Amino acid sequence: MSGNIAITGVPTTPGPNGAVPLRREIRDLQRNFPDQFNLYVLGLQHLQSLDEQQLASYYQVAGIHGMPYKPWNGVGSTTNWASSSGFGGYCTHSSILFITWHRPYMALYEQALYASVQTVAQRFTAGALRDRYVAAAKDFRAPYFDWAIPPPAGSTAFPTAIASPNVSVVDVDGRTRTIVNPINRFVFHPVNPSPGDFNANWSRYRETVRYPDRSGRSQDARIAPILANELASLRSNVSLLLLSYRNFDAFSYNRWDTNTSPGAFGSLEDVHNEIHDRVGGGGHMSSLEVSSFDPIFWLHHINVDRLWSIWQDLNPTSFMSPRPAPYSTFNATRGGTQDQNTALSPFWDKSGTKFWTSTQVKDSATFGYAYPETQKWLQPSTAAYQAALRQTVTALYGSNVFANFVSNVASRAPPPTADAVAAAKPEIAMAALSLAASVPVEKKAAPAAAPAASSADAQKPLAAAKDQAAKPPIKAPAAPSVIPESLKHLAPNNKYTEWVVNIRAQKHGIGQSFRIQVFLGDIDESNPDGWDTEWNCVGRVSVLGRAPETQCGKCRMDNAEGLMVSGTVPLTSALLQDIVAGELANLEPAAVVPHLKKDLKWKAKLFTGEEKALDEIPELRVSVASTVVTIGEDGLPIYSGQYTVHPEATEGKPAGLRPGDHI
């Protein structure tokens, strides 16, 4: 029997119909499953308190992702893979293994968290209280944060469960106490349990931070307005990926080459990068080398895993294509084949004698979990399940660009203050709000009540739309909201032109992370700190670059070879804002291209907030592409898959297309 730690997730025996416990959205868990949320907080606190030298401690599991760049669980590397300082890490970013590698990683975290939850549950005072929490702990799974859904009424885009520095819990003695919130931050004990674990930049923080001020203190309050301002772009990007991408390679990771089509610049990794940027703000989440120490990393990556689960069930026959290995590891040779059978080190399988492969981790049930949307056992057939899943995607992220526009734009409107009106396009805000108010948006029917819980914890059945535990997945809005009446002229015969901004650049070209922010209209040049929440800000592409001296062996090789990455910013919703304001006639190229030549702009900023000159970013190119979309009777978009590049929209602008550029 091997002494290696086997990555099993939570050992689970599926029900007769294949049912397994669900990972739930954190706001859902907090509101509708309070006992499990309480266990999550206490269990995470326990996990974070473990000796940092223990292999299954929070510190050690987080350290697999980057710093302290030490082999985990006996898994080393060859000199070909190592950096100049020795071990080169396990990086799979911008590679075909990106999303598959992270699945067993999340399973390792979940099994460690589950163990702590069980420990805490057993500590509750004997009797009914203990029975209640032991029952709640049985089916506990790690939650996720869905950053692409509109926040519930009366709440902000960044959940208080994550943002609050303190949290109230029912402790093991049954008393309610306020404790330091372990979801908000991880407190190192100490920062460097072994000398040199972190470099000087990160050693100065005794706890994880987001948007640190000059004193190194977190500014979590900055996150919600940024997430809210770019929510329309984020939702559109998620919907575009889930409903129009059919190729796993294009969907999964952000590496760009000359074969990349104009309709495949986006990827799940690209959207993933944006969240690291939006949430981190120069703190731990902003750096791949230390991001996994921030507790939100796990909530974020479990949501990335969820989106892959949804996509793979919609596209079950599409999987990774064999590629030449771009780097060498201790179990792969550069130039050899990297494919679905490549080892996902350092994650030992259930035997503890060999590593998981991408083929083996395709089904989340392998690790004992599913998501509210992926309960395929509730449907009579695969076809019925896929139809319900597609409808669920549209219910969560919007049915089509016109219906989305009406529901999204009000949340982006600037507050009615003199400063906001002066800094924004008030005519767009007011016209859009007027449109939103005049169009009846069908409300979702209240879900049927779930059967009463039979377990001792007697938790409430989930009333929110995303709970699927006792009923089929929710359905999309019905026909009345397919296209709002006042916008139907923009989609004659239910067809319209969808627009995107495509961006590519050298990933490590400036030796650090940066973002390209896209604007449609004027930019307040005097206030770069406010660009994230400016009304004219459409969206961003975030590039997680590293310094030439990084300890990541793969990133050093990628840097030497000039690795290119790409991303997409959906543009159509922003164009609709200009249409309702009377600044644009329609979505046809004859009208849109001249409009973009005049008003489309972009800026580069470092994650620290400093503006960067566009011409200092190697190989940066910004282009515009469009595709024809047909809206079906059910309101779902049907993408043609054929994209047209419009070079004249960006040519002549800094980093715009130049004659002869391939993009």
Side-chain angles (χ1 to χ4, degrees):
M1 181 69 180
S2 169
N4 296 320
I5 295 178
I7 313 305
T8 61
V10 179
T12 304
T13 301
N17 60 356
V20 292
L22 305 182
R23 289 176 172 176
R24 300 185 183 278
E25 213 275 339
I26 187 170
R27 289 162 289 196
D28 170 7
L29 191 72
Q30 183 179 26
R31 178 179 177 181
N32 299 292
F33 297 85
D35 289 350
Q36 287 193 340
F37 179 79
N38 195 67
L39 286 170
Y40 169 50
V41 175
L42 293 177
L44 186 58
Q45 180 192 52
H46 177 270
L47 178 62
Q48 292 180 356
S49 73
L50 295 180
D51 188 328
E52 293 177 330
Q53 301 293 350
Q54 291 184 31
L55 274 180
S57 67
Y58 185 91
Y59 181 87
Q60 289 283 335
V61 172
I64 293 171
H65 199 257
M67 289 181 182
Y69 286 103
K70 294 180 178 179
W72 185 81
N73 201 14
V75 182
S77 64
T78 65
T79 54
N80 286 338
W81 169 237
S83 68
S84 59
S85 60
F87 178 67
Y90 306 109
C91 178
T92 60
H93 299 94
S94 301
S95 98
I96 201 168
L97 304 178
F98 166 67
I99 54 176
T100 57
W101 183 89
H102 280 83
R103 176 161 284 178
Y105 190 27
M106 295 303 106
L108 169 62
Y109 162 75
E110 186 167 57
Q111 75 187 60
L113 177 60
Y114 182 84
S116 286
V117 164
Q118 304 311 305
T119 297
V120 169
Q122 292 294 335
R123 290 178 178 174
F124 274 85
T125 305
L129 186 67
R130 183 182 178 193
D131 291 344
R132 170 181 159 189
Y133 279 101
V134 167
K138 182 180 178 182
D139 287 339
F140 173 84
R141 294 296 183 272
Y144 60 90
F145 167 38
D146 187 352
W147 21 256
I149 57 172
S155 65
T156 65
F158 195 53
T160 55
I162 307 173
S164 297
N166 300 301
V167 62
S168 178
V169 296
V170 177
D171 212 342
V172 294
D173 60 1
R175 300 189 178 205
T176 300
R177 290 186 172 87
T178 298
I179 64 172
V180 172
N181 186 2
I183 314 173
N184 177 257
R185 60 195 183 276
F186 170 60
V187 180
F188 296 93
H189 50 95
V191 175
N192 286 311
S194 298
D197 276 7
F198 293 98
N199 61 26
N201 180 56
W202 297 111
S203 291
R204 62 195 176 105
Y205 296 108
R206 64 176 298 270
E207 60 188 28
T208 56
V209 294
R210 304 167 192 146
Y211 287 87
D213 62 17
R214 292 182 178 179
S215 299
R217 293 170 298 197
S218 266
Q219 301 181 89
D220 287 65
R222 294 189 59 180
I223 300 172
I226 292 171
L227 287 174
N229 193 54
E230 297 181 37
L231 181 62
S233 173
L234 192 57
R235 294 187 76 204
S236 295
N237 236 339
V238 170
S239 181
L240 188 71
L241 286 167
L242 294 178
L243 298 179
S244 74
Y245 279 56
R246 294 289 177 264
N247 178 274
F248 175 89
D249 297 359
F251 168 82
S252 63
Y253 73 112
N254 68 351
R255 179 182 289 263
W256 180 92
D257 60 35
T258 55
N259 295 317
T260 302
S261 72
F265 270 58
S267 66
L268 185 57
E269 184 174 12
D270 169 42
V271 175
H272 147 274
N273 291 350
E274 293 179 26
I275 302 303
H276 274 276
D277 177 12
R278 288 185 177 104
V279 171
H284 288 76
M285 258 303 265
S286 299
S287 170
L288 291 179
E289 300 191 297
V290 293
S291 59
S292 51
F293 290 95
D294 188 330
I296 198 176
F297 172 89
W298 310 100
L299 291 156
H300 167 45
H301 266 278
I302 290 175
N303 192 48
V304 170
D305 181 84
R306 166 180 161 269
L307 294 176
W308 175 38
S309 292
I310 292 172
W311 184 90
Q312 68 181 137
D313 283 355
L314 290 173
N315 303 275
T317 62
S318 180
F319 204 42
M320 63 179 66
S321 306
R323 299 290 178 100
Y327 47 85
S328 293
T329 72
F330 68 96
N331 54 28
T333 302
R334 181 181 179 188
T337 299
Q338 188 176 68
D339 59 18
Q340 60 189 12
N341 297 313
T342 299
L344 302 177
S345 57
F347 306 123
W348 300 101
D349 69 7
K350 293 179 180 180
S351 72
T353 60
K354 55 185 183 296
F355 297 107
W356 287 105
T357 67
S358 297
T359 295
Q360 294 170 329
V361 304
K362 287 176 69 174
D363 186 355
S364 69
T366 300
F367 295 111
Y369 69 89
Y371 294 101
E373 301 82 10
T374 62
Q375 298 177 83
K376 59 188 73 175
W377 57 85
L378 295 177
Q379 297 293 340
S381 67
T382 298
Y385 168 59
Q386 289 182 327
L389 187 56
R390 186 173 170 86
Q391 290 177 331
T392 300
V393 169
T394 63
L396 293 174
Y397 306 114
S399 56
N400 62 66
V401 68
F402 302 104
N404 293 353
F405 171 69
V406 172
S407 63
N408 288 341
V409 72
S411 66
R412 291 195 67 237
T417 65
D419 289 344
V421 170
K425 286 185 177 179
E427 69 280 7
I428 290 180
M430 295 305 104
L433 286 172
S434 174
L435 173 66
S438 67
V439 177
V441 179
E442 184 186 21
K443 295 182 179 179
K444 299 183 182 69
S454 58
S455 59
D457 62 357
Q459 294 184 37
K460 295 183 292 182
L462 180 56
K466 292 186 63 183
D467 174 40
Q468 311 299 315
K471 51 190 176 294
I474 53 180
K475 294 185 177 181
S481 62
V482 167
I483 305 178
E485 193 66 35
S486 56
L487 298 177
K488 281 188 175 179
H489 67 286
L490 299 175
N493 300 315
N494 281 356
K495 291 188 176 182
Y496 74 96
T497 305
E498 180 88 24
W499 295 84
V500 298
V501 176
N502 284 330
I503 297 171
R504 65 170 170 88
Q506 199 176 116
K507 181 174 181 178
H508 305 290
I510 62 172
Q512 58 185 307
S513 296
F514 62 94
R515 71 180 71 104
I516 305 299
Q517 288 181 271
V518 176
F519 301 82
L520 191 58
D522 295 333
I523 304 171
D524 184 358
E525 300 282 359
S526 66
N527 184 30
D529 288 344
W531 289 351
D532 290 329
T533 53
E534 195 166 299
W535 173 254
N536 290 335
C537 180
V538 177
R540 71 181 68 191
V541 169
S542 303
V543 180
L544 303 182
R546 301 201 195 189
E549 63 273 14
T550 177
Q551 292 174 266
C552 176
K554 176 184 180 298
C555 294
R556 291 169 71 96
M557 294 176 187
D558 287 343
N559 188 12
E561 296 180 358
L563 170 69
M564 301 284 290
V565 295
S566 64
T568 290
V569 176
L571 194 56
T572 312
S573 184
L575 292 171
L576 288 174
Q577 293 172 11
D578 286 1
I579 288 173
V580 300
E583 296 185 359
L584 178 64
N586 53 55
L587 292 173
E588 296 305 307
V592 172
V593 172
H595 186 68
L596 296 180
K597 288 177 67 175
K598 177 174 69 75
D599 275 356
L600 184 65
K601 302 176 178 69
W602 50 90
K603 291 282 191 177
K605 287 183 74 175
L606 306 179
F607 281 13
T608 55
E610 174 189 345
E611 184 179 359
K612 191 74 173 174
L614 293 166
D615 59 8
E616 293 181 18
I617 301 175
E619 303 296 327
L620 175 64
R621 290 291 179 273
V622 180
S623 62
V624 169
S626 67
T627 187
V628 175
V629 179
T630 302
I631 300 177
E633 292 182 0
D634 56 1
L636 306 188
I638 304 169
Y639 294 85
S640 70
Q642 301 298 315
Y643 279 77
T644 301
V645 178
H646 302 275
E648 62 274 28
T650 60
E651 187 175 356
K653 299 180 180 181
L657 278 190
R658 299 181 304 197
D661 279 344
H662 176 91
I663 197 157

